[in-house]
Each structure stands twice: as C-alpha cells, then as structure tokens.
C-alpha cells in the first residue's frame, strides 16, 4: 500500500508521543534512570512513650463539702426535785412486849432536836443520835410489875429549851406457867426457884458489904455513861461454849440464909482455861479484879450498853482496846466469890443489869 508522505508523518507522530511518554514514566520510576536493587527504607518505629509523655488522666471532681446542719437546741426543763418524804414524829418501842428483867429499844422518828431523853417508870435516860434517828434502851427489873408502860420522849433545842414530848408504849408480861400435871389434881403452883449456894468461910467473907459496894460502884455507876451511838450491828454471840447454869433473875441464898437478892447475870459452866469471847463489838473500859466478881473485863458497846465477863483466870485485853464480836478477852476461871470454873456474864443498860440471853436474839439491835 502506498502512503503519501503526509499521511506517513501523521501516522508516526502519535507513536513517538507514546514512546516518549513511556520513557518518561520509566525514568520517573527509576529516578536517575539507574536501577536500584535495595529496598526503599521504611520509616523508623515511633519511640516508646514514658508516663511523663502520656496525657494526665482526668482527675475526679472532689466531693462536695458536707453541709453540717446543727440540730436545734431543745431546752429540756430539769425534773423537779422530788418532794421530801415527810415522816410524822413518832416513838416506836421494840419489842412491843418484854418480860421482867428484859430490855426494849426506843426510837424517836421524824424529829429534829439537839437533845433527847426517854423516861420510863420515873427513870430518865439519854437517847443518842444514830443515822438521823434518836434511839436508846430502857429496861425493867426482874421484880417489875406487869402491865402497860409509857415511854415518854422529851426533845430539847440547842439552848436547852423544851420543844415537845412524844409518847410510845410497851407491855411487861409474865408467861403463863405450865398447868400442873392432870394426874395430880389440886397440885399447887411451883414455888419461885431459889439458887442455894454453899461457900467456904474464906470466900463467904468476900460478901461483906464494903466489898459488895466496890463491885457495885464499878458495874453500876462508874462504867455506865452513854458514850455515843451503838458500836455493834446485829445479834450478839455467846461468850463461851458451855452449859447454861444459874440463870439471870433467879433468887440467891448463900449458906442456907434466906434469899435476899437475885442473880445479876447468867452463868455458863466451862473448863478452866477455855477462851472467853466478847459478845459484841465495843471498847474495853475495865480489865482488872473486883473483890466479889474476881478477874473481869467490862466492854462499852455504846448507847449506854455494857457487858461484863467475870471470875476469869486470866485477862487477854487491855483497857482502851477496841474488840470485835468473838474476840478473846480472857479465860475461864473461878476467881472471886465462885464455887467452880464458870463465866458470870452480865449485860448492864444505863446502870441496870438485864437478862443477857435476850441480846442473843433479834429485836434489840440497831
């Protein structure tokens, strides 16, 4: 086929353009036209980040400050003071009934005074203030009559002026004797018991009036003062283990003479040397010998109450010593007017001897 020159030029131009384009592309791919076999370098890995490089975590918002609401102050009125208990003035006597030779406890309640005394059957004795109560002891002798007795309490102020009088009462009675044996109709009532004592002349001589007066002054005059409130609590204890013998109040006859007096204490028979104990707490005010009662101890128990321990062979305490119930004060003996080892135990209230056995029971104790 024949082309004209013009046609041939127009056909080659597009081819040339295409070839040039290919070369340009190849050059762009090869850079400077050289083939480089080494791989193209990669970007270096990022360096590790430290805690300082990290962004700080978000901090939580602090909680809101608590709102303190003060509670309202409520005024509570104080409880009114309780009304003091009003005790009507009163005199009580315990026990309400006693036998001849026994004791009663008198209390004056609900009173205010600087001094108080009680009078029974014409005998006046002082009362003592103990825990806000005026109290004291009254007694009757073994020869006292039966019946109702008045206990009149008189109160005085600090100037000695009489304030008022209060009155209580108690009964003195004698238990009914046991009826005679029915098998013996018409049997007579028992005669009063008489304790007949036989003494050798040398001991009987100690019953001379001058010696008896020495004993009586110590026991019923010198050591009878009311020195303060009671020093003991509760019933007393027996001062020695042994057999009861001549009781309080029994009539006494010496060497077959007519009975002229009654026994002023309670005898307990025991072996010589056996310990003798204080019947209640108190202070020793006498520790010596008397002509009739021999070696003995007197203890002041307060409130005008005293106890005596006689005919002992030894004394274990000194005057002024404080003793407790059951504390040893001496030993059984037979000194003074005595016919054998025993304890003559006395209780003396405001200068009058009373039955000691009653003090082993309740009712008399503060």
């Amino acid at each position: 086929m024949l082309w004209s020159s013009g046609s041939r030029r127009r056909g080659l131009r597009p081819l040339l353009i295409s070839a040039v384009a290919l070369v340009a592309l190849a050059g762009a791919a090869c850079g400077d036209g050289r083939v480089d076999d080494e791989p193209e370098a990669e970007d270096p890995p990022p360096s590790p980040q430290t805690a300082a490089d990290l962004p700080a975590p978000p901090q939580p918002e602090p909680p809101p400050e608590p709102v303190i609401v003060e509670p309202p102050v409520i005024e509570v009125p104080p409880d009114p003071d309780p009304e003091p208990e009003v005790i009507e003035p009163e005199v009580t006597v315990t026990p309400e009934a006693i036998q001849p030779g026994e004791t009663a406890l008198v209390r004056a309640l609900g009173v205010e005074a600087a001094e108080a005394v009680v009078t029974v059957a014409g005998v006046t004795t002082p009362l003592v203030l103990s825990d806000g109560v005026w109290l004291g002891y009254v007694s009757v002798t073994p020869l006292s009559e039966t019946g109702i007795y008045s206990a009149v309490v008189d109160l005085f102020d600090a100037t000695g002026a009489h304030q008022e009088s209060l009155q209580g009462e108690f009964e003195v009675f004698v238990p009914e004797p046991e009826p005679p044996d029915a098998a013996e109709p018409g049997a007579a009532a028992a005669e009063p018991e008489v304790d007949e004592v036989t003494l050798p002349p040398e001991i009987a001589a100690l019953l001379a009036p001058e010696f008896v007066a020495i004993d009586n002054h110590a026991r019923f005059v010198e050591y009878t003062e009311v020195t303060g409130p009671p020093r003991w609590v509760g019933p007393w204890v027996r001062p020695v283990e042994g057999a009861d013998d001549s009781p309080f109040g029994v009539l006494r006859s010496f060497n077959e003479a007519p009975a002229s007096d009654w026994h002023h204490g309670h005898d307990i028979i025991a072996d010589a040397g056996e310990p003798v104990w204080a019947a209640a707490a108190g202070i020793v005010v006498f520790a010596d010998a008397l002509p009739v009662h021999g070696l003995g101890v007197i203890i002041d128990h307060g409130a005008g109450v005293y106890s005596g321990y006689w005919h002992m062979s030894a004394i274990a305490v000194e005057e002024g010593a404080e003793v407790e119930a059951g504390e040893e004060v001496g030993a059984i003996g037979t000194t003074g007017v005595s016919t054998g080892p025993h304890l003559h135990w006395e209780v003396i209230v405001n200068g009058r001897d009373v039955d000691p056995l009653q003090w082993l029971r309740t009712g008399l104790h503060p």
Side-chain angles (χ1 to χ4, degrees), residues 103-159:
T103 307
L105 170 61
V106 176
R107 293 187 179 94
L109 309 175
V111 300
E112 294 185 2
E115 183 183 356
V117 298
V118 59
T119 302
V120 173
V123 178
T124 299
T125 56
L127 301 182
V128 294
L129 190 61
S130 178
D131 295 330
V133 176
W134 287 99
L135 62 83
Y137 292 90
V138 297
S139 61
V140 292
T141 75
L143 305 179
S144 296
E145 296 181 356
T146 60
I148 303 299
Y149 283 67
S150 294
V152 179
V153 173
D154 288 298
L155 306 173
F156 303 88
D157 63 20
T159 67

Coordinates of all heavy atoms in Angstrom, one line a residue, residues 103-159:
T103 N -35.1 -5.8 178.1 CA -34.8 -4.5 177.6 C -35.6 -4.2 176.4 O -36.0 -5.2 175.6 CB -33.3 -4.5 177.2 OG1 -32.5 -4.8 178.3 CG2 -32.9 -3.0 176.8
A104 N -35.9 -3.0 176.1 CA -36.6 -2.5 174.9 C -35.8 -1.4 174.2 O -35.2 -0.6 174.9 CB -38.0 -2.1 175.2
L105 N -35.9 -1.4 172.9 CA -35.2 -0.3 172.1 C -36.3 0.8 171.8 O -37.3 0.5 171.2 CB -34.6 -0.9 170.8 CG -34.1 0.1 169.8 CD1 -33.0 0.9 170.3 CD2 -33.7 -0.7 168.5
V106 N -35.9 2.0 172.1 CA -36.8 3.2 171.9 C -36.2 4.0 170.7 O -35.1 4.4 170.8 CB -37.0 4.0 173.1 CG1 -37.9 5.2 172.8 CG2 -37.7 3.2 174.2
R107 N -37.1 4.3 169.7 CA -36.6 5.2 168.6 C -37.6 6.4 168.5 O -38.8 6.2 168.6 CB -36.6 4.5 167.3 CG -35.6 3.4 167.2 CD -35.6 2.9 165.7 NE -34.6 1.8 165.5 CZ -34.9 0.5 165.5 NH1 -36.1 0.1 165.9 NH2 -34.0 -0.4 165.3
A108 N -37.1 7.6 168.3 CA -37.9 8.7 168.0 C -37.6 9.1 166.6 O -36.5 9.5 166.2 CB -37.5 9.9 168.9
L109 N -38.7 9.0 165.7 CA -38.6 9.2 164.3 C -39.2 10.5 163.9 O -40.1 11.0 164.5 CB -39.3 8.0 163.6 CG -38.9 6.6 164.0 CD1 -39.8 5.6 163.2 CD2 -37.4 6.3 163.7
G110 N -38.6 11.1 162.8 CA -39.2 12.3 162.2 C -39.1 13.5 163.1 O -40.0 14.4 163.1
V111 N -38.0 13.6 164.0 CA -37.9 14.7 164.9 C -36.5 15.4 164.6 O -35.6 14.8 164.2 CB -38.0 14.3 166.3 CG1 -39.4 13.7 166.6 CG2 -36.9 13.3 166.7
E112 N -36.5 16.7 164.9 CA -35.2 17.4 164.9 C -35.0 18.1 166.3 O -35.9 18.8 166.7 CB -35.2 18.5 163.8 CG -35.3 17.9 162.4 CD -35.2 19.0 161.3 OE1 -35.0 20.2 161.8 OE2 -35.2 18.7 160.1
A113 N -33.9 17.8 166.9 CA -33.7 18.3 168.2 C -32.2 18.2 168.5 O -31.4 17.6 167.8 CB -34.4 17.4 169.3
A114 N -31.8 19.0 169.5 CA -30.3 19.0 169.9 C -30.1 18.0 171.0 O -29.0 17.5 171.2 CB -29.9 20.4 170.3
E115 N -31.1 17.6 171.7 CA -31.0 16.6 172.8 C -32.3 15.9 172.9 O -33.4 16.5 172.7 CB -30.6 17.3 174.1 CG -30.4 16.4 175.3 CD -30.1 17.2 176.5 OE1 -30.0 18.4 176.5 OE2 -30.0 16.6 177.6
A116 N -32.3 14.6 173.4 CA -33.5 13.9 173.6 C -33.3 12.9 174.7 O -32.2 12.3 174.9 CB -33.9 13.1 172.3
V117 N -34.3 12.7 175.6 CA -34.3 11.7 176.7 C -35.6 11.0 176.7 O -36.6 11.4 176.1 CB -34.1 12.5 178.0 CG1 -32.7 13.2 178.1 CG2 -35.2 13.4 178.3
V118 N -35.5 9.8 177.3 CA -36.7 9.0 177.4 C -36.9 8.6 178.9 O -35.9 8.4 179.6 CB -36.6 7.7 176.6 CG1 -35.4 6.8 177.0 CG2 -37.9 6.9 176.7
T119 N -38.2 8.6 179.4 CA -38.5 8.3 180.7 C -39.5 7.2 180.8 O -40.5 7.2 180.1 CB -39.1 9.6 181.4 OG1 -38.2 10.7 181.4 CG2 -39.4 9.3 182.9
V120 N -39.1 6.2 181.6 CA -40.0 5.0 181.8 C -40.0 4.7 183.3 O -39.0 4.6 184.0 CB -39.5 3.8 181.1 CG1 -40.3 2.5 181.4 CG2 -39.5 4.0 179.6
A121 N -41.2 4.7 183.8 CA -41.4 4.4 185.3 C -40.6 5.3 186.2 O -40.0 4.8 187.2 CB -41.2 2.9 185.5
G122 N -40.5 6.6 185.8 CA -39.7 7.5 186.6 C -38.2 7.5 186.4 O -37.5 8.3 187.1
V123 N -37.7 6.7 185.6 CA -36.3 6.6 185.3 C -36.0 7.2 183.9 O -36.6 6.8 182.9 CB -35.8 5.1 185.3 CG1 -34.3 5.1 185.0 CG2 -36.0 4.5 186.7
T124 N -35.2 8.3 183.9 CA -34.9 9.0 182.7 C -33.5 8.7 182.2 O -32.5 8.7 183.0 CB -35.0 10.5 182.9 OG1 -36.3 10.9 183.3 CG2 -34.6 11.3 181.7
T125 N -33.4 8.4 180.9 CA -32.1 8.0 180.3 C -31.9 8.8 179.0 O -32.9 9.0 178.3 CB -32.0 6.5 180.0 OG1 -33.1 6.1 179.2 CG2 -32.0 5.7 181.3
P126 N -30.7 9.1 178.6 CA -30.5 9.9 177.4 C -30.6 9.0 176.2 O -30.4 7.8 176.2 CB -29.1 10.4 177.6 CG -28.4 9.5 178.5 CD -29.5 9.0 179.4
L127 N -31.0 9.6 175.1 CA -31.0 9.0 173.8 C -29.8 9.5 173.0 O -29.3 10.5 173.3 CB -32.3 9.3 173.0 CG -33.6 8.9 173.6 CD1 -34.8 9.2 172.7 CD2 -33.6 7.4 174.0
V128 N -29.4 8.7 172.0 CA -28.3 9.1 171.1 C -28.7 9.2 169.7 O -29.7 8.5 169.3 CB -27.1 8.1 171.2 CG1 -26.5 8.1 172.6 CG2 -27.5 6.7 170.9
L129 N -28.1 10.1 168.9 CA -28.5 10.3 167.5 C -27.6 9.3 166.7 O -26.4 9.3 166.7 CB -28.2 11.7 167.1 CG -28.7 12.1 165.7 CD1 -30.2 12.0 165.7 CD2 -28.3 13.6 165.4
S130 N -28.3 8.4 166.0 CA -27.7 7.4 165.1 C -28.4 7.3 163.8 O -29.5 7.0 163.7 CB -27.7 6.0 165.8 OG -27.1 5.0 165.0
D131 N -27.6 7.7 162.7 CA -28.2 7.8 161.3 C -29.5 8.6 161.3 O -30.5 8.1 160.6 CB -28.4 6.3 160.8 CG -27.1 5.5 160.7 OD1 -26.1 6.2 160.4 OD2 -27.2 4.3 160.8
G132 N -29.5 9.7 161.9 CA -30.6 10.6 161.9 C -31.8 10.2 162.8 O -32.9 10.8 162.7
V133 N -31.6 9.2 163.6 CA -32.7 8.7 164.5 C -32.2 8.8 165.9 O -31.1 8.3 166.2 CB -33.1 7.3 164.1 CG1 -34.2 6.8 165.1 CG2 -33.7 7.2 162.7
W134 N -33.0 9.3 166.8 CA -32.7 9.3 168.2 C -33.1 7.9 168.8 O -34.3 7.5 168.6 CB -33.5 10.4 168.9 CG -32.9 11.8 168.7 CD1 -33.4 12.7 167.8 CD2 -31.8 12.4 169.3 NE1 -32.6 13.8 167.9 CE2 -31.6 13.7 168.8 CE3 -30.9 11.9 170.3 CZ2 -30.6 14.5 169.2 CZ3 -29.9 12.8 170.7 CH2 -29.8 14.1 170.1
L135 N -32.2 7.3 169.4 CA -32.5 5.9 170.0 C -31.9 5.7 171.3 O -30.9 6.4 171.7 CB -32.1 4.8 169.0 CG -30.7 4.7 168.6 CD1 -29.9 3.9 169.6 CD2 -30.5 4.0 167.2
G136 N -32.4 4.8 172.0 CA -31.8 4.4 173.3 C -32.5 3.2 173.9 O -33.5 2.6 173.3
Y137 N -32.1 2.7 175.0 CA -32.6 1.5 175.6 C -33.2 1.7 177.0 O -32.6 2.5 177.8 CB -31.4 0.5 175.7 CG -31.0 0.0 174.3 CD1 -29.9 0.6 173.7 CD2 -31.6 -1.1 173.7 CE1 -29.5 0.2 172.4 CE2 -31.2 -1.5 172.5 CZ -30.2 -0.8 171.8 OH -29.8 -1.2 170.6
V138 N -34.3 1.1 177.2 CA -34.9 1.1 178.5 C -35.1 -0.3 179.0 O -35.1 -1.3 178.2 CB -36.3 1.8 178.5 CG1 -36.1 3.3 178.1 CG2 -37.2 1.1 177.5
S139 N -35.2 -0.5 180.3 CA -35.3 -1.9 180.8 C -36.2 -1.9 182.1 O -36.5 -0.8 182.7 CB -33.9 -2.4 181.2 OG -33.3 -1.6 182.2
V140 N -36.6 -3.1 182.5 CA -37.3 -3.3 183.7 C -36.6 -4.3 184.5 O -35.9 -5.2 184.0 CB -38.8 -3.6 183.5 CG1 -39.5 -2.5 182.9 CG2 -38.9 -4.9 182.6
T141 N -36.7 -4.3 185.8 CA -36.0 -5.3 186.7 C -36.8 -6.6 186.8 O -38.0 -6.6 186.4 CB -35.8 -4.7 188.1 OG1 -37.1 -4.8 188.8 CG2 -35.3 -3.3 188.1
P142 N -36.2 -7.6 187.3 CA -36.9 -8.9 187.4 C -38.1 -8.8 188.4 O -39.0 -9.6 188.4 CB -35.8 -9.9 188.0 CG -34.6 -9.3 187.5 CD -34.7 -7.8 187.6
L143 N -38.1 -7.7 189.2 CA -39.2 -7.5 190.2 C -40.2 -6.6 189.7 O -41.2 -6.2 190.5 CB -38.6 -7.1 191.5 CG -37.5 -7.9 192.1 CD1 -37.0 -7.3 193.4 CD2 -37.9 -9.4 192.3
S144 N -40.1 -6.1 188.5 CA -41.1 -5.1 188.0 C -42.5 -5.7 187.8 O -42.6 -6.9 187.5 CB -40.6 -4.5 186.6 OG -39.4 -3.8 186.8
E145 N -43.5 -4.9 188.0 CA -44.9 -5.3 187.8 C -45.2 -5.5 186.3 O -44.6 -4.8 185.5 CB -45.8 -4.4 188.5 CG -45.7 -4.3 190.0 CD -46.7 -3.3 190.6 OE1 -47.4 -2.7 189.9 OE2 -46.7 -3.3 191.9
T146 N -46.2 -6.3 186.0 CA -46.6 -6.4 184.7 C -47.6 -5.3 184.3 O -48.1 -4.6 185.2 CB -47.3 -7.8 184.5 OG1 -48.4 -7.9 185.4 CG2 -46.4 -8.9 184.8
G147 N -47.9 -5.1 183.0 CA -48.8 -4.1 182.6 C -48.2 -3.3 181.4 O -47.2 -3.6 180.8
I148 N -48.9 -2.2 181.1 CA -48.5 -1.3 180.0 C -47.7 -0.2 180.6 O -48.1 0.5 181.5 CB -49.8 -0.7 179.3 CG1 -50.7 -1.9 178.8 CG2 -49.3 0.2 178.2 CD1 -50.0 -2.8 177.7
Y149 N -46.5 0.0 179.9 CA -45.6 1.1 180.4 C -45.5 2.1 179.3 O -45.5 1.8 178.1 CB -44.2 0.5 180.6 CG -44.1 -0.3 181.9 CD1 -44.7 -1.5 182.1 CD2 -43.3 0.2 182.9 CE1 -44.6 -2.2 183.3 CE2 -43.1 -0.5 184.1 CZ -43.8 -1.7 184.3 OH -43.6 -2.4 185.5
S150 N -45.5 3.4 179.7 CA -45.3 4.5 178.8 C -43.8 4.8 178.6 O -43.1 4.8 179.6 CB -46.1 5.8 179.2 OG -47.5 5.5 179.2
A151 N -43.4 5.1 177.4 CA -42.0 5.6 177.1 C -42.2 7.0 176.6 O -42.5 7.3 175.4 CB -41.3 4.7 176.1
V152 N -41.9 8.0 177.4 CA -42.1 9.4 177.1 C -40.8 10.0 176.6 O -39.8 10.0 177.4 CB -42.7 10.2 178.3 CG1 -42.8 11.7 177.9 CG2 -44.0 9.7 178.7
V153 N -40.7 10.5 175.4 CA -39.5 11.1 174.8 C -39.7 12.6 174.9 O -40.6 13.2 174.3 CB -39.2 10.6 173.4 CG1 -38.1 11.4 172.8 CG2 -39.0 9.1 173.4
D154 N -38.7 13.3 175.5 CA -38.7 14.8 175.6 C -37.6 15.3 174.7 O -36.4 14.8 174.7 CB -38.5 15.3 177.0 CG -39.8 15.0 177.8 OD1 -40.8 15.6 177.5 OD2 -39.7 14.3 178.8
L155 N -37.9 16.3 173.9 CA -36.9 16.9 172.9 C -36.6 18.3 173.3 O -37.4 19.0 173.8 CB -37.5 16.9 171.5 CG -38.1 15.5 171.0 CD1 -38.7 15.7 169.6 CD2 -36.9 14.5 170.8
F156 N -35.3 18.6 173.1 CA -34.8 20.0 173.5 C -34.0 20.6 172.4 O -33.4 19.9 171.6 CB -33.9 19.9 174.8 CG -34.6 19.2 176.0 CD1 -34.6 17.8 176.1 CD2 -35.3 20.0 176.9 CE1 -35.2 17.2 177.2 CE2 -35.9 19.4 178.0 CZ -35.9 18.0 178.1
D157 N -34.0 21.9 172.3 CA -33.3 22.6 171.3 C -31.9 22.9 171.8 O -31.5 22.5 172.9 CB -34.0 23.9 170.8 CG -34.1 24.9 171.9 OD1 -33.4 24.9 172.9 OD2 -35.0 25.8 171.7
A158 N -31.1 23.6 170.9 CA -29.7 23.9 171.3 C -29.5 24.7 172.5 O -28.5 24.7 173.2 CB -29.0 24.5 170.1
T159 N -30.5 25.5 172.9 CA -30.4 26.3 174.1 C -30.9 25.6 175.3 O -30.8 26.2 176.4 CB -31.3 27.6 173.9 OG1 -32.7 27.2 173.9 CG2 -31.0 28.3 172.6

